[in-house]
Amino acid sequence: MIEYKKIQEFLEERKQIPENWDEGNQIYWEKFSNYLASNIQETINILETECTPDEISWICEVFDDVAKKTQSKDFIAAIHRIHDKMPEDVKKSMEVDIEYAEAEIID
């Protein structure tokens, strides 16, 4: 079960990892993407209905990993819908992450 509170906990953990600590970020990204991928429909619902623009701007770091693990075209469609609702600054930061996520889907 995917829970909004748990997503918030992951994001708080991420904010504590120094940007230049690659190993720490890799470990975090693996744990967080595994969690989100464990139930992609619940993840999509929470991303679309509960997450703030600031939270989405952090979560988009793992869009490609989630897409790779789930191969979900529904997820790709959802992140496009989310993108369309975001403020301009968040939209810009999401665009490359969406491209990377799309590239992970094998047709």
Side-chain angles (χ1 to χ4, degrees):
M1 175 181 226
I2 305 298
E3 298 175 358
Y4 177 59
K5 182 174 178 59
K6 183 70 174 168
I7 289 173
Q8 290 177 310
E9 290 170 8
F10 271 108
L11 295 177
E12 286 306 311
E13 177 185 343
R14 168 63 182 92
K15 292 174 184 177
Q16 302 305 314
I17 300 171
E19 286 296 320
N20 61 350
W21 187 33
D22 290 339
E23 183 180 349
N25 281 316
Q26 291 297 328
I27 293 167
Y28 161 81
W29 289 330
E30 183 69 18
K31 287 190 315 187
F32 191 32
S33 63
N34 283 341
Y35 178 72
L36 295 176
S38 70
N39 188 323
I40 197 61
Q41 292 306 318
E42 287 181 5
T43 294
I44 289 169
N45 183 53
I46 289 171
L47 294 178
E48 289 191 303
T49 63
E50 297 187 51
C51 292
T52 67
D54 182 62
E55 290 165 339
I56 294 295
S57 72
W58 286 95
I59 296 167
C60 68
E61 291 182 333
V62 297
F63 281 175
D64 58 334
D65 292 333
V66 173
K68 183 176 185 175
K69 291 172 183 181
T70 63
Q71 293 297 302
S72 172
K73 292 181 181 176
D74 288 342
F75 177 70
I76 299 299
I79 61 178
H80 278 283
R81 290 190 301 271
I82 293 164
H83 171 269
D84 293 344
K85 296 179 195 175
M86 291 293 114
E88 285 304 313
D89 60 325
V90 177
K91 279 184 180 181
K92 287 195 183 304
S93 71
M94 288 177 72
E95 287 169 0
V96 71
D97 295 309
I98 291 172
E99 287 178 26
Y100 291 148
E102 290 172 328
E104 293 295 344
I105 301 295
I106 301 167
D107 285 327

